[in-house]
Amino acid sequence: MNDEAGARKGLRALAAELADCRACGLCAGRTQVVFGVGSPVADLMFVGEGPGYHEDTQGEPFVGQAGKLLTELLQSIGLARGDVYIANVVKCRPPGNRDPLPEEIAACTPHLMEQVRIIRPRVVCTLGRFATRLIAQTEAGMTSVRGRVKQTEVAGVPVLVFPVFHPAAALYTPANRSVLEEDFLKLKRVLERGTDALARVAADPPLSGEVQLSGEAPLPSEAPLRADGPAGSGPAEQLPLW
Ligand code: URA
């Protein structure tokens, strides 16, 4: 169990250190550094791309239209913003909401990694391609990796990475919204059964290290849970297939 007071203190210290960050050109156009928000000991951490206008103005990630959708998606799986931690690949708003440049991402990455080291989430849900590329260390397109689990280490912390479309991609495209809604239901399963996923990977490792969640699997409430144990032993057989 992560020490909540210690983690809170660590995040505060890091935020204070970065408040006047000038490590890349984004400092010139920002109103403020948008550090991150949420539980310092969250099991689930979201990583987006970078602050937009509203985030830059308010100093909090995902408070605009895309943020409203993220909040709704969280609510749909029984979570509030305060239950999770939300951060971005870059902490300052790219001018005109352009994509962050490689040098801006490189300058900001150590700070995101430090946040991961402090929070020690079990699951990192990457929102869109920039976060997915960085956190999952993949060049694969979102369409092929979204809704899939990757077991890896981020900043030395063992995590399950779960990429989903960026909520902004769903704002004007209802089809993307349905995909996001489905993926959040899978995310709920990953959160509830993460250890089982690890056990299954260990027993039958896919070459890529990624596990496709079965769309047919019953929701956790419909299936018996098991205590941690080796995959394939006893009650593990009762789990829905991943
Ligand atoms: N989009 C992001 O990627 N991050 C935010 O904080 C807001 C919108």
Side-chain angles (χ1 to χ4, degrees), residues 52-76:
Y53 171 82
H54 295 285
E55 291 76 21
D56 176 68
T57 308
Q58 297 179 42
E60 181 170 328
F62 284 96
V63 289
Q65 280 302 104
K68 187 167 169 277
L69 177 54
L70 176 61
T71 304
E72 285 169 16
L73 289 163
L74 277 172
Q75 284 166 350
S76 76

Side-chain angles (χ1 to χ4, degrees), residues 34 47-56 60-67 70 81 86-90 97 127-128 131 166-168:
V34 180
V47 180
E49 182 177 316
Y53 171 82
H54 295 285
E55 291 76 21
D56 176 68
E60 181 170 328
F62 284 96
V63 289
Q65 280 302 104
L70 176 61
R81 285 172 69 99
I86 309 173
N88 278 310
V89 168
V90 293
N97 294 345
L127 302 167
H166 193 289

Side-chain angles (χ1 to χ4, degrees), residues 64-69 166-174 176-177 180:
Q65 280 302 104
K68 187 167 169 277
L69 177 54
H166 193 289
L171 286 180
Y172 305 105
T173 311
N176 285 343
R177 188 179 171 127
L180 258 176

